[in-house]
Amino acid sequence: MIVRMVRPLLLASLICSFSTVRGAELAPKVEPQQGDKIVLIGNTLAERMQNGGDWETLLHSRFPQRQLVVRDLGWSADTITLRLRSLNYQDHGHTLFDHQPDIILAFFGANESFAGPEGLDSFKQDLAAFIADVRQLKYPIHTIRRGGTPEDRDGSGEVSKTPQLVLISPIANENLADRGIMAADWNNENLRLYTEAMREVAAVEKVPFVDLFAPTQVLMAASEAPLTINGCHLNEAGNARLAAVLDAGLFGNRPQETLTESQRDALQAAVQEKNLQHWYDYRAVNGFYIYGDRKEPFGVVNFPAEFAKLRKMVANRDQRIWALAQGQDVPEQIDDSNTGEFAHIETNFKNEIVITPPEEAVQLFTVRDGFEVQLVASEADFPDLENPVQMAFDGKGRLWVTTMASYPMYLPGTPVNDKVLIFEDTDGDGAMDKQTVFADGLHVPTGIELGDGGAYVSAQPNLMFLPDEDGDDRADEHRLVLHGFDTADSHHSISAFEWGPGGALYFQEGTFHQSQIETPYGPQRLVNAGVFRYEPRTEKLGIFVSYPFANPWGHVFDRWGQDFVADASGGANYVGAAFSGDVDFPRKHPGLKQFLVKQWRPTAGCEIVSSRNFPEEMQGDYLLNNCIGFQGVLQYHFQDDGSGFAAEPVEPLLRSSDLNFRPVDLQFGPDGALYLIDWFNPLIGHMQHSVRDPNRDYSHGRIWRIVNKKKPLVEPALIAGQPVNALLGQLKTYEDRTRYRARRELRNRPTDEVIAAVDAWVGRLKADDAEAPHLKLEALWVKQHHNAVDGVLLNELLTCGDARVRAAATRVLGYWLDRIDDPLSLLQQQVNDEHPRVRLEAVRALSFFHGPEAQAALDIAAEALLSEMDDYLQYTLDETMATLEGRLPQ
Amino acid sequence: MHHCRHVCLFQHAGQLARMAFVAVLFVPVLRPPTHASAEEPASAVASVMRLLKSGRVPSARLGTVIKQIARRGNEHDLAYLFDQASASLGYDAALRLEAYRLLVDAAANRKVIPAGDLSRITQIITTGPSDTPELRLLAIRLAGLWKVSSALEPLQMILEDNATSPQERQAALDALTAIGGPSARKALVQLTRETNSIDVRSQAVAALANLDVDFAAERAATLLQELGDDGDPTVIVGAFLDREGGSRKLAAAVEKAPPSKDMAMLAMRHMYSVGRSDEELAGVLGRIAGIDANPQPLTKQQVAEKIKQVAAHGNAVRGEDVFRRADLSCTKCHALSKAGGQVGPDLSPLGASSPADYIINSISNPDQQIKEAFTTRVVVTVDGLVFQGIVVDRNDERLVLKDAKGEQVTVPTADIDEEVEGKSLMPKGLMKFMTEAEFVDLVKFLSMLGKPGTDYAIRQTPRMQRWRVLTDVPESLRNGTGDEAEQDAYLSGPTEQAPAYARVNGDLPLDDLATKWGPVLYLVGEVDVTQPGEIGVRLDSAEGAVISLGSFSSADPEFTLTLPRGRHAVMLQVDTRVRPVSTLRLELFRVPSSTAQFEVVDGA
């Protein structure tokens, strides 16, 4: 889903900034002809241009009579040699052969530049080959199948006309010093080198070239406010300025504007609407069911008519753009009556469908002795609660939930309207009585987490941030912050959002997916499933776990920062520490043993019992949802298994005999009760039915809570708006989720204030306080949230008396390797620790060394063999050795 | 078809590495690469070798360290290990054995063999101490894996010796085959002669298929004829299925010298049960067995017609019987309420979640829709061996597949010649073994699975679903004439068992078991206790049944007892002749106020 904020272009400032970089008269480099089709290819720079449509608006207003067709095929992290796509994407209708463009604007060089000066020669060679290929319309995509090797595929057909290719350089990067992102310092020299290389090759190959690097560097230097969201991708203001630079760079000095400001706004809105419908086509979710291996037997029935219709809708929008560019009036509504009909789809779900009313459904639960299931919210009282997926609690104790009525995907012509809802229990009776729509117009938002003054939500194939700076409980804007998470299967897309204790946001994706994400540190790629780790403050995005999961959907951290990952489809559960060491793409970690014996598949969501409302003997137990078969919450009791864990089944917490009950998320609320999100749907299979099966349910959803009647509920902690010191006090609270929410609140307070308060708080802890090691660990995590490295506290915890704390501190060290003195010596100490879990964390952390330090890291990792080994340690050691070995000089 | 070629991703990987950790550039003190030494050949375990030679490794850790070396080291590292293991003043007996095992794994799974002279292994086969048969067995395997030709003669002697154990015989056959050449072939041909037992001849033909597939196929056809109506063709048929093009050769030979109708059926069933339906062999065997080997996929209209028939005539009770039939092998791969095979998905919730057309298509054409966890790969090795299975794991060095028997096979990546996406492991010819009515009943049964309030609902209580029936019970106990002392004597030793699965509703049908194993049955179920405490046991009817749990024994239908943590066997001695019903159902239940946590043990 692309978000289009229709904002008036600030024409005056635009022209002004443009003139600052103009210099001499600019000659046109390319001259579009009547009816020409202009196709944009390249990286995120190109991809993000379609959102605001600034440049295209300038284009149509410059050539109002020429009826130009623009198709933006930009794709996150595409390079001249590598473009990951889901299987058989080349059959979907968006190869260059399919488009037969007259003009191709190729935006490359940004991702390539991370190869540095030593990569320049091969870049130039590759670029020359790329130019020759593209002139022949060859622009293959790359897919790595599950368990397979990379394959490249392309469309085919006549080259009826040789397109006019224009090479476009990367933009400059800028420093965002307050977030520690020094992207200009890190990258601009390389970007300049690659820009010059492109200029050189373009001249030799006689291809027009537009330099965006130099003018954007000037613009960035001159601008007081940042022009990027992350140092390397333009924000709204940046894109508006870029539009003018690119317009002039391509077509020369701009003629007299013919449109009024309101006419331009209408044109820009029409461009955005056209781009949105085109986006639904070229970035369609569920590609595996449209053109991939699961197009049979259902997709071949419904999709051809759907995409035929969508493409006609896009063509209608081209016409509307031309009319508006010519200053004509257009009707308010777009007439799509000429776009054809959908195929008739019959259900193959013959079971009797009985929608159980909430008051009956509550009777169908079987719970462990002493517990009670209570209805918190349902579609009966809140009709917007349609297909709820993931929840989060805010600092005011309110429950946020994403809804997914558009699942499995957009139907052409019917605008999507998935939502983020906030539920509130204003009278404290345990049932929600107030609903606020925080955001709507979303498309299959499979995950949500709160933080940084807003909400992070998946917006396949992007990650979206919904800020609420004015605190009116309504998202200020829909800001796309990361791009390129594949959506070959909309129920495998980024989901199960969870903060790590140190302030990284984790989310997961399933198999088939071919993801590539650009960051100011370079592109990151992942194929066929894994877990991402994202630091919003620094914009670091890493592949936390690259593992051939089927479809992971569940991730939880315990009191000591150990994490557990649940794979939904196969029902497997893993110890996170063991398989989250670094690997170099495309290598994936091999099979890791599961810490529990699977009882029921598929699962959706996991949680650890940490609530004084729950009985003593259940504390620390692992809870796992099952949504087909058992339909309830399974429960397991942890014990140590060497450096890892093993969990054994105990009596399940609950199950329902209502076949519609589909628990898909679970989390302890501020009151210590366990909350359950119930997707509530009679028909649940993604691949077993047509995506358009008429019996898919779009209008139900439930939220339940499970309360232990034998103990009181927990008094909810005060978090929102509390003073920093009070929040630090909350870090002493028993419940994991309360400390989780207190840390999340603290991350959004001014760093200086928080760090000073943390230091004073740590200073006040008594040495003989049994809780002191854990509290100091909490302090370390708060600092990690703020990217505030503290070598002294870290050193203390690396050697403290509690092995669990030493292990957690070793994990933190692994993310501070670049800013701690002599990290190898510290890890050597940890590798020889008396506790296997600390040794495992050290071996894991050693996998992150590169270059000249890889050999030393390898030698230190081998020292793990001097102590007792176990399955987990052996696995992690093998993996670290394999990674480091690959980085030794050949 | 699309043109496919490999693209070089690794140049990008290098970029990625740099970019992801640009931060590394800011480390204040860069360490010089202190440890690498120019003379050493590139080795993944150079660090470990240095550690080993440094003298810092305590003897208790030596096993772990050599394991690491054997699992990742190169031919020079392995040569060091081999030297240490075969030197008289080298490793002690236990470590020596471990080193040999590791060398076997390195050769079998990674194709890495020690550098230097390997003929020393022959001496261990011939002169190795006879009190360490395991060492000798490992040496035999190594001789084959390393292709040590000086071992040919001692291997032949082992094969000719009638006192050779079956395990050692198989190892020697494998080794001989691996070494190959005219003398190996000659030795194998000798073993196929009629003077040897049918088992030895089957093994020899299977081995010969690797050296001379045409000759082996002829001999195999003759042997299949000799097997009569009820011999075991699995070793022979399996060997040809495992070779690229092997089943075609066997089909041609069988065409010329056909086995009995029943033997053709058994051979065909084996082929299906390992997830294969090779066209030629299925065709020939099908003709001999009188089964249509070439069913057309169902059309949409046929599927719609079948759905109607299922609704009108399908009988789930009969359908469950079809599902449980041995010749269809459903339970070998699929579990119900977790009891049964673990190769394909557990079908317990199938009817509640999957529509009838999906079920029909999944039986008639298992390849059409495969859940991502069950997609397979087919690999052909450079030696022409074929492996098919679900990918359990893979890395640069080896691929691990789970085959249709639920067994894991490791294939070294270096051995893989060809690899393609496989189809479902589920046999494609299942519908051939069913009448129209049986198929309709089966689909009805499957559509009912998981429907609450029926006999096909998912198990809600801790109920025994997977039993094991003891299959080697002495005659006197089987017919109920034996006494307690005989029973104690029998049960105190190792027993042989076969799985017996309850129906979905928990009823274990006894009639078939009694027919096969005798009127008095010994049945074992298992329960895992994770938190000790009091647990209740309830049998539907105690008539003719005695329950034992450890030293506790009861003839009551319901009782409670306190169990410690751990796995416990619940044994039932059932005299089916005095039992009023032909089924049996055992429930465990939670005792109020008990803190016990337990789970019945399921699985294959």
Side-chain angles (χ1 to χ4, degrees), chain A residues 79 81-82 90-91 111 114-115 126 142 144-153 186 293-294 297-298 348-349 351 368 492 511-512 521-524 550 569 582 584-586 590-591 599-601 628-629 639 648-651 655 657 659 687-689 817-818 821-822 824-825 848 850 852-853 855 858-859 862-863 865-869 874 877-878 881-882 885, chain B residues 2-7 9-13 15-24 26-31 33 35-36 44-45 47-48 50-51 56-58 61 64-65 67-68 71-72 300 337-338 348-349 351-358 368-373 375 377 392-396 419 421 450-452 458-460 530-531 565 590 597 599:
Chain A
T79 71
T81 53
L82 181 61
Q90 77 284 352
D91 294 345
N111 296 290
F114 287 92
D126 290 342
H142 307 106
I144 304 180
R145 293 204 220 198
R146 204 170 144 84
T149 46
E151 301 165 13
D152 73 347
R153 284 143 181 260
W186 300 333
D293 263 2
R294 287 186 181 163
F298 303 118
N348 67 344
F349 187 79
N351 291 353
R368 269 177 82 148
H492 286 198
T511 193
F512 312 139
Y521 308 87
Q524 289 284 312
S569 191
D582 204 20
D584 291 321
F585 178 82
Q599 291 180 287
W600 291 97
R601 68 154 299 273
I628 300 177
Q639 53 194 12
E648 289 182 325
V650 295
E651 185 186 349
R655 74 185 302 182
S657 57
L659 280 180
M687 82 169 198
Q688 290 85 350
H689 315 273
L817 296 177
D818 51 338
D821 280 348
D822 203 3
L824 279 169
S825 295
F848 291 92
H850 287 77
E853 293 179 309
Q855 181 65 59
L858 194 53
D859 287 353
E863 292 185 23
L865 292 164
L866 295 174
S867 306
E868 193 170 341
M869 296 291 285
Q874 184 66 56
L877 177 63
D878 284 345
M881 292 184 93
E885 188 197 323
Chain B
H2 310 288
H3 172 66
C4 301
R5 73 180 156 89
H6 294 263
V7 288
L9 294 170
F10 294 92
Q11 88 187 67
H12 304 282
Q15 293 168 19
L16 287 176
R18 211 197 130 269
M19 296 175 278
F21 289 89
V22 159
V24 169
F26 307 132
V27 173
V29 186
L30 284 180
R31 291 174 162 246
H35 304 268
V45 290
S47 302
V48 185
R50 275 194 294 278
L51 192 69
R56 289 172 67 199
V57 181
R61 297 270 85 83
T64 322
V65 172
K67 184 171 160 202
Q68 195 67 17
R71 290 171 70 243
R72 305 185 57 85
K300 268 194 168 170
S337 278
K338 298 191 280 172
S348 312
S353 63
S354 296
D357 59 342
Y358 180 79
Q368 191 174 57
Q369 282 162 293
I370 309 173
K371 280 301 283 177
E372 50 274 10
T375 53
R377 308 291 292 181
V392 175
D393 196 18
R394 76 183 306 154
N395 62 22
D396 291 346
E419 178 178 341
E421 183 129 332
K451 300 231 167 128
I458 285 163
R459 173 173 50 166
Q460 297 271 346
T530 53
Q531 278 179 41
R565 191 183 151 81
R590 299 181 193 280
Q597 291 289 347
E599 220 201 357

Side-chain angles (χ1 to χ4, degrees), chain A residues 144-381:
Chain A
I144 304 180
R145 293 204 220 198
R146 204 170 144 84
T149 46
E151 301 165 13
D152 73 347
R153 284 143 181 260
D154 205 342
S156 59
E158 291 291 302
V159 183
S160 54
K161 56 197 170 191
T162 300
Q164 170 74 68
L165 174 65
V166 185
L167 279 185
I168 299 177
S169 87
I171 58 164
N173 284 2
E174 73 178 345
N175 289 338
L176 301 174
D178 56 330
R179 295 164 67 189
I181 300 170
M182 306 304 284
D185 296 356
W186 300 333
N187 302 332
N188 274 354
E189 180 53 22
N190 283 338
L191 287 166
R192 189 189 62 76
L193 284 175
Y194 279 71
T195 298
E196 289 315 309
M198 288 174 80
R199 190 195 308 279
E200 199 182 301
V201 174
V204 173
E205 303 293 334
K206 301 197 168 32
V207 171
F209 170 72
V210 177
D211 178 357
L212 295 182
F213 175 79
T216 49
Q217 197 174 25
V218 172
L219 281 174
M220 285 167 181
S223 174
E224 278 181 26
L227 294 180
T228 67
I229 56 167
N230 56 7
C232 65
H233 295 137
L234 295 170
N235 59 19
E236 211 170 313
N239 260 316
R241 295 189 193 189
L242 177 88
V245 173
L246 181 60
D247 177 70
L250 287 168
F251 309 119
N253 292 335
R254 206 168 158 78
Q256 186 72 36
E257 298 298 333
T258 56
L259 298 179
T260 66
E261 203 167 313
S262 68
Q263 284 175 320
R264 286 179 52 103
D265 290 348
L267 174 61
Q268 183 155 8
V271 166
Q272 291 175 348
E273 163 62 18
K274 183 265 299 177
N275 285 351
L276 174 65
Q277 301 304 330
H278 169 61
W279 169 266
Y280 285 134
D281 178 6
Y282 101 106
R283 298 303 286 273
V285 304
N286 285 317
F288 212 69
Y289 303 78
I290 300 166
Y291 45 77
D293 263 2
R294 287 186 181 163
K295 65 181 179 187
E296 298 275 1
F298 303 118
V300 292
V301 180
N302 65 293
F303 284 123
E306 288 185 22
F307 284 99
K309 180 183 179 74
L310 190 49
R311 285 166 200 180
K312 285 180 197 149
M313 286 172 59
V314 175
N316 285 346
R317 281 146 186 78
D318 285 330
Q319 303 221 359
R320 184 180 180 88
I321 288 169
W322 301 332
L324 286 165
Q326 290 162 10
Q328 298 170 17
D329 287 335
V330 293
E332 197 165 322
Q333 293 293 321
I334 302 169
D335 179 5
D336 283 325
S337 58
N338 63 340
T339 54
E341 298 301 319
F342 295 124
H344 175 69
I345 306 299
E346 276 190 35
T347 185
N348 67 344
F349 187 79
K350 305 292 188 195
N351 291 353
E352 191 190 355
I353 290 175
V354 183
I355 298 298
T356 339
E359 58 278 11
E360 280 175 33
V362 77
Q363 305 296 325
L364 298 176
F365 287 105
T366 310
V367 280
R368 269 177 82 148
D369 189 34
F371 284 85
E372 185 176 275
V373 181
Q374 300 168 351
L375 182 71
V376 171
S378 82
E379 79 286 347
D381 292 324

Side-chain angles (χ1 to χ4, degrees), chain A residues 365 367-368 371-374 376 611 613-614 618 633 653-654 661 666 668 671-676 704-709 713:
Chain A
F365 287 105
V367 280
R368 269 177 82 148
F371 284 85
E372 185 176 275
V373 181
Q374 300 168 351
V376 171
S611 161
N613 175 247
F614 272 48
M618 285 173 60
V633 181
L653 181 62
L654 71 88
F661 175 64
L666 75 175
F668 280 94
D671 56 359
L674 179 72
Y675 285 74
L676 272 187
W704 308 97
R705 73 171 186 177
I706 296 92
V707 176
N708 178 16
K709 300 301 285 180
L713 283 166

